Amino acid sequence: MSALPHDTPPRAYASPYRVEAHEGPQTLAALRAELAVVDAAELVAFNAKLDAAKFGEEQSSVIADARRLIALRTRPEIQAAIAASLAGETDPAPVAELYTYLNRQGAAE
């Protein structure tokens, strides 16, 4: 029996076509740790972009881009969805789903 805690497998994302707010790293420390695993150069670039970003929307955009990068590089279901879409095997996001998403966000009227 091992004294090390058991690693829980990462949860699947709700949709392979978007990263929701509750998915992926939830703190800057966790985001930086995952970026370091993905690629040290990506971590350096992230830190530079975040330092240069103004408070508010600019910082949120830098963080969201980094969270998407992690999902794209680490989640097999997302990589499979991209491959299927590029091969023409699936419709990546039906228009009805897009409007439903926008309505939930309050962006569409």
Side-chain angles (χ1 to χ4, degrees), residues 59-75:
Q59 281 188 335
S60 295
S61 177
V62 170
I63 292 167
D65 288 346
R67 293 176 78 238
R68 284 189 289 272
L69 174 77
I70 290 169
L72 286 169
R73 299 255 184 106
T74 63
R75 303 303 305 180

Side-chain angles (χ1 to χ4, degrees), residues 39-104:
D39 185 353
E42 293 292 353
L43 175 59
V44 171
F46 168 76
N47 285 330
K49 288 177 193 173
L50 190 61
D51 288 345
K54 294 181 181 173
F55 290 126
E57 189 64 34
E58 278 187 46
Q59 281 188 335
S60 295
S61 177
V62 170
I63 292 167
D65 288 346
R67 293 176 78 238
R68 284 189 289 272
L69 174 77
I70 290 169
L72 286 169
R73 299 255 184 106
T74 63
R75 303 303 305 180
E77 68 271 21
I78 293 174
Q79 293 168 354
I82 292 169
S85 177
L86 291 173
E89 298 169 358
T90 61
D91 181 17
V95 173
E97 181 183 328
L98 172 63
Y99 284 118
T100 300
Y101 175 76
L102 291 175
N103 283 331
R104 276 190 289 136

Side-chain angles (χ1 to χ4, degrees), residues 30-45:
L31 182 61
R32 286 182 171 118
E34 288 195 38
L35 280 171
V37 170
V38 168
D39 185 353
E42 293 292 353
L43 175 59
V44 171

